[in-house]
Amino acid sequence: EKGGFEFFMDKEIEEQPAAVAQTLLGHFDGSGIVLDELRLSEDDLRTIDKVFVVACGTAYHSGLVAKYAIEHWCRIPVEVEVASEFRYRDPVLNRDTLVVAVSQSGETADTLEALRHARRQKARVLAVCNTNGSQIPRESDAVVYIHAGPEIGVASTKAFLGMLTANYLVGLALAQARGTKYRDEIAREYEELTKIPDAIATTLTLMDPVRKLAQEISTAKAILFLGRHVGYPVALEGALKLKELAYMHAEGFAAGELKHGPIALIEEGLPVVIVTPSPVTDPLLHSKLLSNIREIQARGARTIVIAEEGDETVAPFADFLIELPKVPKLYQPLITTVPLQILAAEIARAKGFDLDKPRNLAKSVTVE
Ligand code: M6R
């Protein structure tokens, strides 16, 4: 059942193009985005004036990405919060609030309790979930299923890419209901999304050098991850994967925060992974990241740079360069996450750890 792979996780990483393609399937009917089980009218969606995304772990990181897309497309404020914090701080909720609960398993207790709390306050609840018939979708007003297929590895990979995809669909559906995007713009976004599975497949073919790098840095005492904009949640996700799988100290930062503290951690030989935006679609942030990379390299750290193919400006400052296919700015996490998953998996393998069952962790966390 592992299909010739050593671990389920290896197989699930390879299944990511299909996970994204399956999640997109059937969500565009020629004139607009359609969600799965929608017990909310277009009118209900139109009056939404605030969105909260609540989730845990990797699902939370998918929500952080969603914030950039939903705010950009829908012009409504989006807050993203770990479910265990949301519920206990008395958030301001009402009928016009949409709470998006994201969960692979659909059984995570923290997320479920957060959504129950939201419902008691009359907020509308939409679930993004990979497991049919699980509790979180059962208790929601609307559901968008991630069609990633069963995920066995405790560390989430293909479900994460599925969540990102489903979250984009939620954002586009909201933009459609609110009229903040024209129908043809929405059709174009969907069209761009349908091209992503091929870009992920291409990315997967480029990973052998990353596997080699993982061997080399598997004895490092820590690894830092930096990113900006949608690259920031990707950095957080890369760090989480490394902690879970390789039991290594890892931290993700917003690159702009570097000079506000974390730069003190930079030392000779420390591997630092930098998720760089596109110089074409995001020249302003690209130039800021470039100066971070130079600073880090100048202090003797080992710069591992994830960049868009053809980005010549970063090459001189990258001790190791990972060039990935060009995709629209908001969709980059669907591509840039892949090398970070491989990096964590290969470091864990080099250390002889079980990729499917990291110590102390359970696939679904059903207690608060
Ligand atoms: O099933 P869920 O998506 O609700 O699970 C949430 C987290 O427990 C989960 O993402 C966890 O962080 C993973 N082990 C990450 O790889």
Side-chain angles (χ1 to χ4, degrees), residues 141-168:
D141 299 305
V143 188
V144 180
Y145 280 107
I146 303 155
H147 296 283
E151 191 178 63
I152 312 289
V154 165
S156 189
T157 52
K158 63 175 181 172
F160 178 62
L161 265 56
M163 282 165 189
L164 292 174
T165 308
N167 294 345
Y168 293 129

Side-chain angles (χ1 to χ4, degrees), residues 313-325:
T313 48
V314 286
F317 309 103
D319 297 316
F320 188 91
L321 181 61
I322 306 170
E323 285 189 277
L324 301 180

Side-chain angles (χ1 to χ4, degrees), residues 117-337:
H117 179 78
R119 289 199 67 139
R120 282 194 292 271
Q121 311 287 314
K122 305 279 179 279
R124 323 278 182 164
V125 177
L126 184 150
V128 168
C129 185
N130 194 37
T131 314
N132 262 304
S134 56
Q135 202 58 27
I136 289 171
R138 272 215 296 267
E139 296 193 23
S140 298
D141 299 305
V143 188
V144 180
Y145 280 107
I146 303 155
H147 296 283
E151 191 178 63
I152 312 289
V154 165
S156 189
T157 52
K158 63 175 181 172
F160 178 62
L161 265 56
M163 282 165 189
L164 292 174
T165 308
N167 294 345
Y168 293 129
L169 292 172
V170 171
L172 291 173
L174 264 180
Q176 180 174 293
R178 294 172 53 77
T180 48
K181 283 262 161 216
Y182 293 114
R183 292 262 164 184
D184 62 327
E185 291 175 302
I186 289 173
R188 217 173 312 126
E189 291 295 341
Y190 185 83
E191 166 79 25
E192 287 295 341
L193 279 168
T194 60
K195 295 181 195 159
I196 299 284
D198 279 346
I200 302 171
T202 305
T203 303
L204 287 165
T205 65
L206 304 171
M207 291 297 106
D208 278 346
V210 178
R211 294 189 175 95
K212 247 191 237 132
L213 170 76
Q215 304 280 338
E216 284 169 38
I217 62 175
S218 64
T219 53
K221 65 173 190 218
I223 301 186
L224 302 184
F225 295 80
L226 303 176
R228 276 185 92 135
H229 194 264
V230 290
Y232 168 44
V234 172
L236 296 177
E237 175 61 7
L240 178 63
K241 286 287 98 86
L242 195 67
K243 289 174 204 167
E244 281 189 288
L245 293 161
Y247 319 146
M248 210 177 205
H249 180 72
E251 266 196 85
F253 299 108
E257 279 290 289
L258 194 65
K259 55 193 170 303
H260 300 288
I263 198 161
L265 293 169
I266 305 293
E267 59 185 27
E268 193 70 34
L270 178 79
V272 183
V273 179
I274 305 113
V275 184
T276 320
S278 159
V280 182
T281 59
D282 203 348
L284 185 62
L285 283 188
H286 181 273
S287 69
K288 303 234 189 275
L289 255 298
L290 195 61
S291 69
N292 288 144
I293 299 170
R294 296 166 75 150
E295 268 166 7
I296 294 164
Q297 202 191 40
R299 286 170 175 75
R302 182 166 187 175
T303 55
I304 299 162
V305 179
I306 298 182
E308 185 172 277
E309 61 191 347
D311 179 351
E312 281 159 16
T313 48
V314 286
F317 309 103
D319 297 316
F320 188 91
L321 181 61
I322 306 170
E323 285 189 277
L324 301 180
K326 185 168 191 247
V327 298
K329 176 172 161 179
L330 285 168
Y331 304 146
Q332 275 168 4
L334 289 167
I335 305 298
T336 50
T337 303

